Amino acid sequence: MDPCPFVRLIVESLALKLPVAAKHAGSGIHPTTTPCFCKLTLKNVSTSQTALLPLSSASGDSPPDSTTSIPGFHLDPTVLRRFSGKPTTLQVSVYTGRMGQTCGFNSGKLLGRVRVNIDLNRTEFRSCVYQNGWMKLGKEPEKPSARLHLVVRAEPDPRFVFQFGGEPECSPVVFQIQGNIRQPVFSCKFSADRNSRFR
């Protein structure tokens, strides 16, 4: 019995490093009072993930002192077929403020975005790392800007998918679903009431 191809896209080691706020009031982001969060979306996939971002004080390209992760994206065979031969993009949007919505609008203020190119070709057979380290949120190289640390990787997550046919309580038949093919795996029939052995 062959497993159905599933892939898990994992996003971990998330942390944010903010530029130092200016001395005068009203400018910059003050890490002690401003929460930050990110929203992760995978192009052409309807689900998204949201996570609070811990602030890092690590210097240079050193690893962050505290990180967080998200549950990740579980990609089934249908999604993998859709992306076959076509790279996609993971977009991470970073916001300051509180998570959630107020009057139908996001309550956070957009700080910046980063994009990671994802090629899922053959990831159902091997693991792949797409990003490991810091990425700059701002587009202007001469200005200090926030930096986001993240690790993005994909790994095979094979599963066996079963489907019951007919009336399972009378005569269960278990099928393995592989694409459009339904292959019977096993079946059994009940010939008497289960309580009859006590009579």
Side-chain angles (χ1 to χ4, degrees), residues 13 15 17 56-67 132-134 149:
S13 298
K17 190 191 300 183
S56 174
S57 57
S59 60
D61 290 331
S62 302
D65 34 24
S66 64
T67 64
N132 183 2
W134 293 98
H149 187 277

PDB file of all heavy atoms in Angstrom, residues 13 15 17 56-67 132-134 149:
ATOM      1  N   SER A  13      11.257  29.576  14.339  1.00  0.00           N
ATOM      2  CA  SER A  13      12.299  30.538  14.747  1.00  0.00           C
ATOM      3  C   SER A  13      11.947  31.965  14.347  1.00  0.00           C
ATOM      4  O   SER A  13      12.796  32.729  13.903  1.00  0.00           O
ATOM      5  CB  SER A  13      13.657  30.148  14.154  1.00  0.00           C
ATOM      6  OG  SER A  13      14.060  28.897  14.636  1.00  0.00           O
ATOM      7  N   ALA A  15      11.232  35.751  14.943  1.00  0.00           N
ATOM      8  CA  ALA A  15      11.579  36.808  15.898  1.00  0.00           C
ATOM      9  C   ALA A  15      11.734  38.106  15.134  1.00  0.00           C
ATOM     10  O   ALA A  15      11.996  38.110  13.929  1.00  0.00           O
ATOM     11  CB  ALA A  15      12.862  36.464  16.646  1.00  0.00           C
ATOM     12  N   LYS A  17      13.466  42.085  15.108  1.00  0.00           N
ATOM     13  CA  LYS A  17      14.438  43.033  15.648  1.00  0.00           C
ATOM     14  C   LYS A  17      14.052  44.409  15.125  1.00  0.00           C
ATOM     15  O   LYS A  17      13.991  44.622  13.909  1.00  0.00           O
ATOM     16  CB  LYS A  17      15.848  42.662  15.192  1.00  0.00           C
ATOM     17  CG  LYS A  17      16.944  43.453  15.902  1.00  0.00           C
ATOM     18  CD  LYS A  17      18.294  43.247  15.251  1.00  0.00           C
ATOM     19  CE  LYS A  17      18.705  41.790  15.277  1.00  0.00           C
ATOM     20  NZ  LYS A  17      20.057  41.584  14.713  1.00  0.00           N
ATOM     21  N   SER A  56      13.694  40.646  19.592  1.00  0.00           N
ATOM     22  CA  SER A  56      15.046  40.176  19.837  1.00  0.00           C
ATOM     23  C   SER A  56      16.005  41.353  19.993  1.00  0.00           C
ATOM     24  O   SER A  56      15.874  42.364  19.318  1.00  0.00           O
ATOM     25  CB  SER A  56      15.509  39.283  18.679  1.00  0.00           C
ATOM     26  OG  SER A  56      16.863  38.928  18.831  1.00  0.00           O
ATOM     27  N   SER A  57      16.973  41.179  20.875  1.00  0.00           N
ATOM     28  CA  SER A  57      18.015  42.195  21.044  1.00  0.00           C
ATOM     29  C   SER A  57      19.356  41.666  20.551  1.00  0.00           C
ATOM     30  O   SER A  57      20.400  42.239  20.855  1.00  0.00           O
ATOM     31  CB  SER A  57      18.113  42.602  22.518  1.00  0.00           C
ATOM     32  OG  SER A  57      18.372  41.462  23.313  1.00  0.00           O
ATOM     33  N   ALA A  58      19.337  40.565  19.790  1.00  0.00           N
ATOM     34  CA  ALA A  58      20.582  39.980  19.277  1.00  0.00           C
ATOM     35  C   ALA A  58      21.293  40.978  18.367  1.00  0.00           C
ATOM     36  O   ALA A  58      20.659  41.744  17.645  1.00  0.00           O
ATOM     37  CB  ALA A  58      20.273  38.695  18.514  1.00  0.00           C
ATOM     38  N   SER A  59      22.608  40.958  18.399  1.00  0.00           N
ATOM     39  CA  SER A  59      23.377  41.892  17.582  1.00  0.00           C
ATOM     40  C   SER A  59      23.787  41.249  16.269  1.00  0.00           C
ATOM     41  O   SER A  59      24.024  40.043  16.190  1.00  0.00           O
ATOM     42  CB  SER A  59      24.617  42.355  18.352  1.00  0.00           C
ATOM     43  OG  SER A  59      25.423  41.241  18.671  1.00  0.00           O
ATOM     44  N   GLY A  60      23.865  42.084  15.238  1.00  0.00           N
ATOM     45  CA  GLY A  60      24.316  41.609  13.923  1.00  0.00           C
ATOM     46  C   GLY A  60      23.458  40.477  13.388  1.00  0.00           C
ATOM     47  O   GLY A  60      22.236  40.526  13.419  1.00  0.00           O
ATOM     48  N   ASP A  61      24.118  39.420  12.890  1.00  0.00           N
ATOM     49  CA  ASP A  61      23.418  38.270  12.342  1.00  0.00           C
ATOM     50  C   ASP A  61      23.323  37.116  13.329  1.00  0.00           C
ATOM     51  O   ASP A  61      23.072  35.979  12.939  1.00  0.00           O
ATOM     52  CB  ASP A  61      24.115  37.798  11.054  1.00  0.00           C
ATOM     53  CG  ASP A  61      23.923  38.794   9.918  1.00  0.00           C
ATOM     54  OD1 ASP A  61      22.896  39.495   9.913  1.00  0.00           O
ATOM     55  OD2 ASP A  61      24.806  38.871   9.042  1.00  0.00           O
ATOM     56  N   SER A  62      23.512  37.393  14.610  1.00  0.00           N
ATOM     57  CA  SER A  62      23.419  36.347  15.637  1.00  0.00           C
ATOM     58  C   SER A  62      21.991  35.814  15.698  1.00  0.00           C
ATOM     59  O   SER A  62      21.035  36.541  15.421  1.00  0.00           O
ATOM     60  CB  SER A  62      23.794  36.905  17.011  1.00  0.00           C
ATOM     61  OG  SER A  62      25.094  37.429  16.971  1.00  0.00           O
ATOM     62  N   PRO A  63      21.827  34.554  16.089  1.00  0.00           N
ATOM     63  CA  PRO A  63      20.477  34.004  16.236  1.00  0.00           C
ATOM     64  C   PRO A  63      19.702  34.759  17.306  1.00  0.00           C
ATOM     65  O   PRO A  63      20.296  35.278  18.258  1.00  0.00           O
ATOM     66  CB  PRO A  63      20.713  32.552  16.655  1.00  0.00           C
ATOM     67  CG  PRO A  63      22.130  32.263  16.313  1.00  0.00           C
ATOM     68  CD  PRO A  63      22.862  33.568  16.363  1.00  0.00           C
ATOM     69  N   PRO A  64      18.379  34.844  17.178  1.00  0.00           N
ATOM     70  CA  PRO A  64      17.578  35.573  18.177  1.00  0.00           C
ATOM     71  C   PRO A  64      17.602  34.858  19.523  1.00  0.00           C
ATOM     72  O   PRO A  64      17.773  33.644  19.591  1.00  0.00           O
ATOM     73  CB  PRO A  64      16.170  35.580  17.564  1.00  0.00           C
ATOM     74  CG  PRO A  64      16.161  34.478  16.577  1.00  0.00           C
ATOM     75  CD  PRO A  64      17.554  34.295  16.094  1.00  0.00           C
ATOM     76  N   ASP A  65      17.399  35.645  20.608  1.00  0.00           N
ATOM     77  CA  ASP A  65      17.417  35.070  21.943  1.00  0.00           C
ATOM     78  C   ASP A  65      16.126  34.345  22.295  1.00  0.00           C
ATOM     79  O   ASP A  65      16.121  33.451  23.129  1.00  0.00           O
ATOM     80  CB  ASP A  65      17.741  36.145  22.993  1.00  0.00           C
ATOM     81  CG  ASP A  65      17.178  37.511  22.608  1.00  0.00           C
ATOM     82  OD1 ASP A  65      16.207  37.554  21.834  1.00  0.00           O
ATOM     83  OD2 ASP A  65      17.721  38.529  23.071  1.00  0.00           O
ATOM     84  N   SER A  66      14.996  34.727  21.685  1.00  0.00           N
ATOM     85  CA  SER A  66      13.730  34.008  21.885  1.00  0.00           C
ATOM     86  C   SER A  66      12.969  33.987  20.566  1.00  0.00           C
ATOM     87  O   SER A  66      13.042  34.944  19.795  1.00  0.00           O
ATOM     88  CB  SER A  66      12.890  34.664  22.985  1.00  0.00           C
ATOM     89  OG  SER A  66      12.514  35.965  22.596  1.00  0.00           O
ATOM     90  N   THR A  67      12.278  32.900  20.312  1.00  0.00           N
ATOM     91  CA  THR A  67      11.574  32.734  19.037  1.00  0.00           C
ATOM     92  C   THR A  67      10.204  32.111  19.265  1.00  0.00           C
ATOM     93  O   THR A  67       9.891  31.636  20.362  1.00  0.00           O
ATOM     94  CB  THR A  67      12.365  31.821  18.075  1.00  0.00           C
ATOM     95  OG1 THR A  67      12.457  30.500  18.642  1.00  0.00           O
ATOM     96  CG2 THR A  67      13.758  32.349  17.797  1.00  0.00           C
ATOM     97  N   ASN A 132      16.703  30.621   6.089  1.00  0.00           N
ATOM     98  CA  ASN A 132      17.212  30.385   7.431  1.00  0.00           C
ATOM     99  C   ASN A 132      18.043  31.607   7.834  1.00  0.00           C
ATOM    100  O   ASN A 132      19.199  31.720   7.474  1.00  0.00           O
ATOM    101  CB  ASN A 132      18.062  29.113   7.476  1.00  0.00           C
ATOM    102  CG  ASN A 132      18.548  28.798   8.878  1.00  0.00           C
ATOM    103  OD1 ASN A 132      18.231  29.499   9.836  1.00  0.00           O
ATOM    104  ND2 ASN A 132      19.313  27.731   9.009  1.00  0.00           N
ATOM    105  N   GLY A 133      17.420  32.536   8.544  1.00  0.00           N
ATOM    106  CA  GLY A 133      18.146  33.720   8.991  1.00  0.00           C
ATOM    107  C   GLY A 133      17.295  34.979   8.965  1.00  0.00           C
ATOM    108  O   GLY A 133      16.075  34.930   8.895  1.00  0.00           O
ATOM    109  N   TRP A 134      17.989  36.120   9.006  1.00  0.00           N
ATOM    110  CA  TRP A 134      17.333  37.431   9.084  1.00  0.00           C
ATOM    111  C   TRP A 134      16.984  37.951   7.693  1.00  0.00           C
ATOM    112  O   TRP A 134      17.731  37.764   6.742  1.00  0.00           O
ATOM    113  CB  TRP A 134      18.255  38.436   9.772  1.00  0.00           C
ATOM    114  CG  TRP A 134      18.505  38.126  11.221  1.00  0.00           C
ATOM    115  CD1 TRP A 134      19.583  37.479  11.744  1.00  0.00           C
ATOM    116  CD2 TRP A 134      17.660  38.460  12.324  1.00  0.00           C
ATOM    117  NE1 TRP A 134      19.470  37.388  13.117  1.00  0.00           N
ATOM    118  CE2 TRP A 134      18.296  37.980  13.494  1.00  0.00           C
ATOM    119  CE3 TRP A 134      16.434  39.107  12.443  1.00  0.00           C
ATOM    120  CZ2 TRP A 134      17.739  38.140  14.767  1.00  0.00           C
ATOM    121  CZ3 TRP A 134      15.885  39.264  13.699  1.00  0.00           C
ATOM    122  CH2 TRP A 134      16.529  38.784  14.844  1.00  0.00           C
ATOM    123  N   HIS A 149      13.512  37.402  11.657  1.00  0.00           N
ATOM    124  CA  HIS A 149      14.226  36.133  11.604  1.00  0.00           C
ATOM    125  C   HIS A 149      13.205  35.019  11.405  1.00  0.00           C
ATOM    126  O   HIS A 149      12.186  34.973  12.081  1.00  0.00           O
ATOM    127  CB  HIS A 149      15.005  35.886  12.903  1.00  0.00           C
ATOM    128  CG  HIS A 149      15.888  34.679  12.843  1.00  0.00           C
ATOM    129  ND1 HIS A 149      15.414  33.405  13.069  1.00  0.00           N
ATOM    130  CD2 HIS A 149      17.208  34.538  12.555  1.00  0.00           C
ATOM    131  CE1 HIS A 149      16.410  32.540  12.931  1.00  0.00           C
ATOM    132  NE2 HIS A 149      17.509  33.206  12.618  1.00  0.00           N
TER     133      HIS A 149
END
